[in-house]
Amino acid sequence: MSQEAAAPEFRIGFGYDAHRLAPGRELWLGGVRIPHEQGLDGHSDADVLLHAVCDALLGAVALGDIGLHFPNTDQAWKGADSKRLLSAVVELLARHGWRVGNIDCTLVMERPKVMPHAAAMREAIAPLLAVGVDAVSIKATTNELMGFVGREEGACAYAVALVVRA
Ligand code: MG
């Protein structure tokens, strides 16, 4: 067998997050502020979509999870823009020799409609990951009025990420 260059090394990761909806909070999803009568509650800006992406990236390289790196007891992250968390995760991956390949996310939320904001979210997220917008997929669905999402008590998000040896 001929000697060939080593195949690229890939890793896959999965992330999930959920946050409660609460009055008097801004709604931040995928790094974009969306007008709504309530927002997601949490220690940071509670951007459930970016948190799922962070966990997918951390999971791909087996470096723990968002709660380990950004504990909600740490005042440094109180009210933090989750784009800062995502950037910190991408830097951590880079220090370990990994870059992002692509991500695919699904946001589950009853209201408001999310897809009109998907293009803005992709534009916001892609530079943080140092990838093109074509490597950032955002999908959304309702929960057909079932469960905590259906009752509009909160929202959740799922993400998968592929990372590549830098
Ligand atoms: Mg979270």
Side-chain angles (χ1 to χ4, degrees):
M1 226 170 90
S2 67
Q3 208 60 17
E4 287 179 34
E9 197 178 345
F10 302 104
R11 302 283 288 272
I12 189 169
F14 169 75
Y16 169 82
D17 194 27
H19 279 269
R20 290 177 183 275
L21 279 160
R25 293 274 302 181
E26 294 180 351
L27 178 60
W28 285 88
L29 292 170
V32 173
R33 188 179 172 193
I34 295 175
H36 194 47
E37 70 263 20
Q38 51 186 350
L40 294 172
D41 200 12
H43 184 65
S44 66
D45 65 8
D47 190 326
V48 70
L49 188 65
L50 293 193
H51 292 184
V53 172
C54 285
D55 263 2
L57 292 170
L58 290 168
V61 295
L63 281 174
D65 62 23
I66 196 169
L68 176 73
H69 294 277
F70 312 105
N72 61 14
T73 50
D74 188 343
Q75 289 304 303
W77 303 107
K78 186 166 170 54
D81 180 342
S82 292
K83 292 191 282 291
R84 280 175 53 211
L85 277 62
L86 182 55
S87 291
V89 167
V90 172
E91 282 169 25
L92 180 68
L93 262 65
R95 287 203 296 278
H96 284 79
W98 297 99
R99 64 177 174 83
V100 180
N102 73 295
I103 62 163
D104 181 27
C105 321
T106 298
L107 181 69
V108 192
M109 193 167 196
E110 213 63 42
R111 283 188 320 121
K113 285 262 175 267
V114 169
M115 285 315 278
H117 305 280
M121 293 178 190
R122 295 172 71 201
E123 295 279 354
I125 295 169
L128 305 176
L129 305 182
V131 299
V133 289
D134 63 334
V136 178
S137 164
I138 296 185
K139 310 186 302 298
T141 184
T142 70
N143 218 28
E144 295 282 342
L145 304 178
M146 295 179 288
F148 72 90
V149 170
R151 293 188 297 270
E152 296 188 43
E153 293 168 8
C156 65
Y158 303 84
V160 290
L162 189 78
V163 303
V164 185
R165 267 288 173 210

mmCIF file of all heavy atoms in Angstrom, residues 11 54-69 89 91-98:
data_model
loop_
_atom_site.group_PDB
_atom_site.id
_atom_site.type_symbol
_atom_site.label_atom_id
_atom_site.label_comp_id
_atom_site.label_asym_id
_atom_site.label_seq_id
_atom_site.Cartn_x
_atom_site.Cartn_y
_atom_site.Cartn_z
ATOM 1 N N ARG A 11 -13.691 15.211 15.031
ATOM 2 C CA ARG A 11 -14.396 14.816 16.249
ATOM 3 C C ARG A 11 -15.795 15.415 16.184
ATOM 4 O O ARG A 11 -15.988 16.496 15.645
ATOM 5 C CB ARG A 11 -13.685 15.353 17.504
ATOM 6 C CG ARG A 11 -12.240 14.899 17.647
ATOM 7 C CD ARG A 11 -12.132 13.471 18.143
ATOM 8 N NE ARG A 11 -12.491 13.344 19.533
ATOM 9 C CZ ARG A 11 -11.634 13.485 20.558
ATOM 10 N NH1 ARG A 11 -10.379 13.765 20.322
ATOM 11 N NH2 ARG A 11 -12.035 13.337 21.788
ATOM 12 N N CYS A 54 -21.888 25.847 22.562
ATOM 13 C CA CYS A 54 -20.698 25.737 23.425
ATOM 14 C C CYS A 54 -20.526 24.297 23.916
ATOM 15 O O CYS A 54 -19.415 23.754 23.887
ATOM 16 C CB CYS A 54 -20.828 26.655 24.642
ATOM 17 S SG CYS A 54 -20.569 28.405 24.315
ATOM 18 N N ASP A 55 -21.613 23.690 24.374
ATOM 19 C CA ASP A 55 -21.519 22.328 24.899
ATOM 20 C C ASP A 55 -21.192 21.320 23.799
ATOM 21 O O ASP A 55 -20.488 20.337 24.046
ATOM 22 C CB ASP A 55 -22.814 21.940 25.616
ATOM 23 C CG ASP A 55 -22.705 22.154 27.126
ATOM 24 O OD1 ASP A 55 -21.650 22.628 27.590
ATOM 25 O OD2 ASP A 55 -23.682 21.850 27.836
ATOM 26 N N ALA A 56 -21.693 21.548 22.596
ATOM 27 C CA ALA A 56 -21.362 20.652 21.482
ATOM 28 C C ALA A 56 -19.868 20.730 21.169
ATOM 29 O O ALA A 56 -19.214 19.696 20.967
ATOM 30 C CB ALA A 56 -22.184 21.026 20.250
ATOM 31 N N LEU A 57 -19.330 21.937 21.164
ATOM 32 C CA LEU A 57 -17.902 22.112 20.867
ATOM 33 C C LEU A 57 -17.043 21.510 21.973
ATOM 34 O O LEU A 57 -16.057 20.803 21.703
ATOM 35 C CB LEU A 57 -17.577 23.597 20.684
ATOM 36 C CG LEU A 57 -18.191 24.254 19.445
ATOM 37 C CD1 LEU A 57 -18.007 25.773 19.501
ATOM 38 C CD2 LEU A 57 -17.569 23.690 18.166
ATOM 39 N N LEU A 58 -17.408 21.783 23.220
ATOM 40 C CA LEU A 58 -16.652 21.219 24.340
ATOM 41 C C LEU A 58 -16.755 19.699 24.335
ATOM 42 O O LEU A 58 -15.772 18.991 24.603
ATOM 43 C CB LEU A 58 -17.163 21.788 25.671
ATOM 44 C CG LEU A 58 -16.846 23.268 25.921
ATOM 45 C CD1 LEU A 58 -17.654 23.796 27.107
ATOM 46 C CD2 LEU A 58 -15.347 23.470 26.153
ATOM 47 N N GLY A 59 -17.947 19.206 24.006
ATOM 48 C CA GLY A 59 -18.146 17.764 23.959
ATOM 49 C C GLY A 59 -17.301 17.096 22.892
ATOM 50 O O GLY A 59 -16.784 15.987 23.090
ATOM 51 N N ALA A 60 -17.126 17.772 21.764
ATOM 52 C CA ALA A 60 -16.355 17.185 20.662
ATOM 53 C C ALA A 60 -14.918 16.892 21.071
ATOM 54 O O ALA A 60 -14.301 15.949 20.576
ATOM 55 C CB ALA A 60 -16.378 18.132 19.451
ATOM 56 N N VAL A 61 -14.401 17.717 21.973
ATOM 57 C CA VAL A 61 -13.002 17.530 22.383
ATOM 58 C C VAL A 61 -12.902 17.033 23.826
ATOM 59 O O VAL A 61 -11.820 17.019 24.413
ATOM 60 C CB VAL A 61 -12.198 18.842 22.195
ATOM 61 C CG1 VAL A 61 -12.113 19.190 20.712
ATOM 62 C CG2 VAL A 61 -12.825 20.003 22.953
ATOM 63 N N ALA A 62 -14.044 16.623 24.383
ATOM 64 C CA ALA A 62 -14.096 16.033 25.726
ATOM 65 C C ALA A 62 -13.441 16.940 26.760
ATOM 66 O O ALA A 62 -12.646 16.502 27.586
ATOM 67 C CB ALA A 62 -13.472 14.637 25.722
ATOM 68 N N LEU A 63 -13.790 18.226 26.701
ATOM 69 C CA LEU A 63 -13.242 19.195 27.653
ATOM 70 C C LEU A 63 -14.319 19.711 28.608
ATOM 71 O O LEU A 63 -14.364 20.888 28.946
ATOM 72 C CB LEU A 63 -12.588 20.368 26.908
ATOM 73 C CG LEU A 63 -11.182 20.097 26.345
ATOM 74 C CD1 LEU A 63 -10.705 21.273 25.498
ATOM 75 C CD2 LEU A 63 -10.183 19.817 27.465
ATOM 76 N N GLY A 64 -15.197 18.819 29.017
ATOM 77 C CA GLY A 64 -16.199 19.194 29.999
ATOM 78 C C GLY A 64 -17.391 19.887 29.386
ATOM 79 O O GLY A 64 -17.741 19.644 28.225
ATOM 80 N N ASP A 65 -18.016 20.779 30.178
ATOM 81 C CA ASP A 65 -19.199 21.466 29.678
ATOM 82 C C ASP A 65 -19.197 22.922 30.113
ATOM 83 O O ASP A 65 -18.284 23.381 30.816
ATOM 84 C CB ASP A 65 -20.485 20.738 30.103
ATOM 85 C CG ASP A 65 -20.668 20.689 31.618
ATOM 86 O OD1 ASP A 65 -20.098 21.530 32.339
ATOM 87 O OD2 ASP A 65 -21.416 19.807 32.076
ATOM 88 N N ILE A 66 -20.213 23.632 29.686
ATOM 89 C CA ILE A 66 -20.275 25.088 29.900
ATOM 90 C C ILE A 66 -20.327 25.420 31.393
ATOM 91 O O ILE A 66 -19.759 26.433 31.828
ATOM 92 C CB ILE A 66 -21.487 25.649 29.110
ATOM 93 C CG1 ILE A 66 -21.403 27.152 28.960
ATOM 94 C CG2 ILE A 66 -22.798 25.210 29.696
ATOM 95 C CD1 ILE A 66 -22.410 27.711 27.967
ATOM 96 N N GLY A 67 -20.973 24.570 32.180
ATOM 97 C CA GLY A 67 -21.065 24.805 33.628
ATOM 98 C C GLY A 67 -19.710 24.699 34.315
ATOM 99 O O GLY A 67 -19.457 25.359 35.320
ATOM 100 N N LEU A 68 -18.831 23.882 33.756
ATOM 101 C CA LEU A 68 -17.480 23.716 34.309
ATOM 102 C C LEU A 68 -16.637 24.958 34.022
ATOM 103 O O LEU A 68 -15.920 25.455 34.892
ATOM 104 C CB LEU A 68 -16.829 22.483 33.676
ATOM 105 C CG LEU A 68 -15.374 22.196 34.066
ATOM 106 C CD1 LEU A 68 -15.282 21.671 35.488
ATOM 107 C CD2 LEU A 68 -14.743 21.189 33.100
ATOM 108 N N HIS A 69 -16.749 25.462 32.787
ATOM 109 C CA HIS A 69 -15.880 26.575 32.368
ATOM 110 C C HIS A 69 -16.436 27.939 32.765
ATOM 111 O O HIS A 69 -15.665 28.878 32.957
ATOM 112 C CB HIS A 69 -15.662 26.522 30.854
ATOM 113 C CG HIS A 69 -14.882 25.324 30.426
ATOM 114 N ND1 HIS A 69 -13.513 25.275 30.467
ATOM 115 C CD2 HIS A 69 -15.288 24.100 29.981
ATOM 116 C CE1 HIS A 69 -13.100 24.083 30.053
ATOM 117 N NE2 HIS A 69 -14.157 23.355 29.749
ATOM 118 N N VAL A 89 -14.736 29.470 24.246
ATOM 119 C CA VAL A 89 -14.716 28.034 23.941
ATOM 120 C C VAL A 89 -13.901 27.765 22.670
ATOM 121 O O VAL A 89 -13.088 26.839 22.621
ATOM 122 C CB VAL A 89 -16.153 27.485 23.804
ATOM 123 C CG1 VAL A 89 -16.155 26.096 23.192
ATOM 124 C CG2 VAL A 89 -16.839 27.473 25.167
ATOM 125 N N GLU A 91 -11.521 29.573 21.479
ATOM 126 C CA GLU A 91 -10.098 29.780 21.821
ATOM 127 C C GLU A 91 -9.534 28.579 22.561
ATOM 128 O O GLU A 91 -8.383 28.171 22.331
ATOM 129 C CB GLU A 91 -9.941 31.037 22.689
ATOM 130 C CG GLU A 91 -9.997 32.330 21.905
ATOM 131 C CD GLU A 91 -10.095 33.561 22.811
ATOM 132 O OE1 GLU A 91 -9.660 33.502 23.979
ATOM 133 O OE2 GLU A 91 -10.635 34.579 22.341
ATOM 134 N N LEU A 92 -10.336 28.022 23.458
ATOM 135 C CA LEU A 92 -9.902 26.835 24.206
ATOM 136 C C LEU A 92 -9.628 25.679 23.247
ATOM 137 O O LEU A 92 -8.605 24.982 23.360
ATOM 138 C CB LEU A 92 -10.973 26.443 25.224
ATOM 139 C CG LEU A 92 -10.687 25.220 26.090
ATOM 140 C CD1 LEU A 92 -9.541 25.500 27.061
ATOM 141 C CD2 LEU A 92 -11.945 24.818 26.873
ATOM 142 N N LEU A 93 -10.530 25.489 22.293
ATOM 143 C CA LEU A 93 -10.330 24.432 21.297
ATOM 144 C C LEU A 93 -9.050 24.675 20.498
ATOM 145 O O LEU A 93 -8.283 23.743 20.253
ATOM 146 C CB LEU A 93 -11.525 24.351 20.348
ATOM 147 C CG LEU A 93 -12.571 23.282 20.676
ATOM 148 C CD1 LEU A 93 -13.259 23.578 21.998
ATOM 149 C CD2 LEU A 93 -13.596 23.141 19.568
ATOM 150 N N ALA A 94 -8.826 25.934 20.120
ATOM 151 C CA ALA A 94 -7.631 26.271 19.336
ATOM 152 C C ALA A 94 -6.365 25.935 20.123
ATOM 153 O O ALA A 94 -5.392 25.415 19.562
ATOM 154 C CB ALA A 94 -7.662 27.745 18.958
ATOM 155 N N ARG A 95 -6.399 26.215 21.432
ATOM 156 C CA ARG A 95 -5.222 25.900 22.258
ATOM 157 C C ARG A 95 -4.963 24.405 22.312
ATOM 158 O O ARG A 95 -3.843 23.966 22.542
ATOM 159 C CB ARG A 95 -5.405 26.448 23.683
ATOM 160 C CG ARG A 95 -5.274 27.955 23.802
ATOM 161 C CD ARG A 95 -4.895 28.378 25.225
ATOM 162 N NE ARG A 95 -5.928 28.050 26.211
ATOM 163 C CZ ARG A 95 -7.018 28.803 26.430
ATOM 164 N NH1 ARG A 95 -7.213 29.906 25.748
ATOM 165 N NH2 ARG A 95 -7.890 28.441 27.335
ATOM 166 N N HIS A 96 -6.017 23.617 22.114
ATOM 167 C CA HIS A 96 -5.865 22.159 22.091
ATOM 168 C C HIS A 96 -5.693 21.624 20.675
ATOM 169 O O HIS A 96 -5.743 20.408 20.454
ATOM 170 C CB HIS A 96 -7.063 21.488 22.769
ATOM 171 C CG HIS A 96 -7.013 21.587 24.260
ATOM 172 N ND1 HIS A 96 -7.376 22.729 24.956
ATOM 173 C CD2 HIS A 96 -6.611 20.699 25.202
ATOM 174 C CE1 HIS A 96 -7.210 22.522 26.260
ATOM 175 N NE2 HIS A 96 -6.753 21.303 26.427
ATOM 176 N N GLY A 97 -5.542 22.519 19.702
ATOM 177 C CA GLY A 97 -5.226 22.087 18.343
ATOM 178 C C GLY A 97 -6.427 21.747 17.471
ATOM 179 O O GLY A 97 -6.298 20.980 16.516
ATOM 180 N N TRP A 98 -7.586 22.331 17.801
ATOM 181 C CA TRP A 98 -8.805 22.029 17.032
ATOM 182 C C TRP A 98 -9.416 23.306 16.480
ATOM 183 O O TRP A 98 -9.363 24.364 17.112
ATOM 184 C CB TRP A 98 -9.859 21.352 17.931
ATOM 185 C CG TRP A 98 -9.447 20.033 18.475
ATOM 186 C CD1 TRP A 98 -8.947 19.780 19.724
ATOM 187 C CD2 TRP A 98 -9.491 18.769 17.811
ATOM 188 N NE1 TRP A 98 -8.686 18.446 19.877
ATOM 189 C CE2 TRP A 98 -9.009 17.795 18.720
ATOM 190 C CE3 TRP A 98 -9.896 18.359 16.531
ATOM 191 C CZ2 TRP A 98 -8.921 16.444 18.383
ATOM 192 C CZ3 TRP A 98 -9.813 17.008 16.219
ATOM 193 C CH2 TRP A 98 -9.326 16.066 17.133
#
